[in-house]
Amino acid sequence: MDVEPDRLIASVLRIAPPEPPCRPIHLTAACSKVSSGRYKVTRSKNKPLTYEQANPPHYLFVRKGFNSFNTSNLKDGVRPSESAMEDMFIRKFISGTWHNMFLSEVIIKRQLNMIRISGIVVRNILPRKMYFLIGYTEEMLTNWLQCPVKLELQTTDSREDVVFKYI
Amino acid sequence: MSRIRLIQLGSSCLSKANFQNICSSGFKAPAARGLQVPADPTRRQRPDLLYSRLELELRAHDPAVLDSYVTFLQQAARHLGVTTGKLWEPPRHYQRLSLLKSVHIFAKHKVQYEARTYFRVLELLRLTGSTADTYLEYTQRMLPEGIAMKVSRYARESLPEHLSQRPDQSESDGKS
């Protein structure tokens, strides 16, 4: 009868057999409250911040609102994790599709089974292309998320319009 | 019942002539257009449901939005002639999460996150089924993002027969 070499050595040396190899994963909810949503002051004080960015998270409900509006995280809310993942996916998709065009945060509002996405977009491409992007985004997200998705965008001429202060 | 409800609606937002126009054109339209309406004899005869009380429980993270929506609910009820009962706030619920402030050690320094849920409960009194459906359809379509609504309907039922009548006391054996 074969004995595993590790166990044999362990029994000869009278030590505990080695643990099987493990791949630890990080499960702690590390939200980094100290640094998340806060921006460093630059030495030359020329980093532009929007109003949203200028107010750190403890000003939620005081000076600014949430970026995602849904009922998943209320008490007894259903599918909180799914909503969060979908929101993340929407934000990534938007930032990739509307590359370097969203000046504000992507606001995601869920009402009944409909998702409305809003934000401020800079007008640096032709209107024709912008209409294409709107249709494309709505169509793709509707297909992926299996619910009606609408884009409610506001446009602005220059990037300086949304700047609240420079730090 | 639905007729009565429509008339109440009409008195607030339509003139009587307009309402009759809608009646004459809207209600007879399917037959006039030659569409076949399946005859459903039970549909007209079934009496409308009567609710003694409807409880709307609202939940949200933001109390300001909640208050504004409750105002809207009360206004809609007033315009539709629905009697509102009590409005109260159940105690809010906190979901708290205590974490280390640092990534690894320094256990003395912790940070706490919380998600609050605020509640409001509004009562609507003495409604017919069709009024309740209309009211809920209207208000739920207007439900702002991030507000959840739970509706409990209370109706009175007659006492069931096995409770209202004395059970048969006679011994029933196979012979008699």
Side-chain angles (χ1 to χ4, degrees):
Chain A
M1 191 175 163
D2 275 348
V3 183
E4 289 175 29
D6 283 351
R7 291 191 170 276
L8 189 65
I9 295 168
S11 65
V12 170
L13 297 178
R14 297 194 175 180
I15 54 171
E19 295 285 320
C22 65
R23 293 278 176 272
I25 55 167
H26 189 72
L27 287 174
T28 320
C31 308
S32 314
K33 189 173 181 178
V34 196
S35 59
S36 66
R38 291 163 175 83
Y39 295 85
K40 262 191 179 177
V41 182
T42 54
R43 204 185 265 179
S44 49
K45 306 261 175 170
N46 59 356
K47 186 197 222 171
L49 286 190
T50 62
Y51 180 78
E52 175 89 31
Q53 292 166 332
N55 289 307
H58 62 265
Y59 280 120
L60 276 170
F61 288 147
V62 184
R63 290 190 192 165
K64 64 175 190 177
F66 273 122
N67 292 339
S68 298
F69 292 87
N70 54 49
T71 54
S72 303
N73 292 310
L74 295 170
K75 187 170 181 289
D76 304 329
V78 289
R79 66 194 293 281
S81 55
E82 283 92 337
S83 293
M85 286 305 289
E86 281 177 13
D87 284 5
M88 244 176 79
F89 175 73
I90 290 173
R91 292 217 163 85
K92 295 220 167 210
F93 180 78
I94 292 273
S95 64
T97 311
W98 300 77
H99 184 67
N100 213 5
M101 287 173 71
F102 257 77
L103 300 182
S104 68
E105 307 290 323
V106 181
I107 312 288
I108 300 172
K109 297 178 273 192
R110 288 156 191 273
Q111 225 172 0
L112 303 176
N113 73 334
M114 195 166 70
I115 300 180
R116 294 186 295 140
I117 302 168
S118 57
I120 303 175
V121 173
V122 66
R123 286 196 293 265
N124 60 0
I125 56 170
L126 289 177
R128 221 182 347 171
K129 291 185 178 175
M130 200 170 269
Y131 282 126
F132 168 75
L133 278 185
I134 291 174
Y136 173 76
T137 312
E138 285 182 354
E139 195 70 14
M140 296 304 268
L141 286 177
T142 303
N143 262 307
W144 281 323
L145 305 177
Q146 292 293 306
C147 62
V149 178
K150 284 187 183 174
L151 241 63
E152 297 173 344
L153 300 179
Q154 305 230 346
T155 58
T156 179
D157 219 1
S158 72
R159 293 174 180 275
E160 280 72 50
D161 290 348
V162 295
V163 174
F164 178 64
K165 68 175 180 184
Y166 293 90
I167 58 168
Chain B
M1 277 303 176
S2 66
R3 291 264 163 150
I4 292 169
R5 190 256 309 167
L6 272 172
I7 289 167
Q8 282 177 348
L9 263 178
S11 66
S12 67
C13 56
L14 297 172
S15 68
K16 199 173 181 184
N18 264 342
F19 173 65
Q20 281 170 348
N21 271 339
I22 288 171
C23 275
S24 57
S25 62
F27 290 170
K28 288 177 187 169
R33 274 183 281 141
L35 295 176
Q36 292 196 340
V37 180
D40 185 8
T42 58
R43 196 177 157 196
R44 292 275 168 96
Q45 290 163 9
R46 195 192 305 146
D48 203 352
L49 291 165
L50 293 176
Y51 296 116
S52 59
R53 187 157 62 94
L54 229 70
E55 241 182 50
L56 312 181
E57 191 194 295
L58 305 165
R59 298 173 175 204
H61 290 305
D62 193 351
V65 181
L66 211 49
D67 282 336
S68 120
Y69 184 64
V70 166
T71 311
F72 163 75
L73 283 181
Q74 287 170 328
Q75 270 180 7
R78 200 174 65 240
H79 288 310
L80 293 175
V82 175
T83 324
T84 50
K86 277 191 298 181
L87 165 71
W88 73 93
E89 303 176 17
R92 61 197 165 209
H93 176 263
Y94 292 85
Q95 188 198 355
R96 286 211 175 94
L97 202 65
S98 296
L99 299 174
L100 292 187
K101 202 166 188 178
S102 157
V103 180
H104 183 39
I105 44 176
F106 308 121
K108 278 187 182 175
H109 300 274
K110 297 202 173 180
V111 74
Q112 207 171 44
Y113 295 87
E114 66 183 31
R116 297 182 193 172
T117 308
Y118 293 88
F119 299 88
R120 299 281 186 281
V121 183
L122 179 66
E123 270 186 352
L124 305 172
L125 304 174
R126 297 180 295 280
L127 296 161
T128 63
S130 56
T131 315
D133 287 346
T134 313
Y135 182 78
L136 289 178
E137 173 85 28
Y138 176 53
T139 50
Q140 287 180 353
R141 271 179 197 278
M142 300 285 167
L143 202 65
E145 313 88 3
I147 288 196
M149 182 196 271
K150 191 176 102 184
V151 181
S152 323
R153 300 158 192 248
Y154 297 89
R156 293 191 182 175
E157 301 256 327
S158 54
L159 206 61
E161 200 174 331
H162 66 278
L163 289 179
S164 59
Q165 288 189 353
R166 196 179 168 81
D168 194 10
Q169 297 290 324
S170 64
E171 297 281 334
S172 60
D173 45 354
K175 292 169 191 171
S176 62

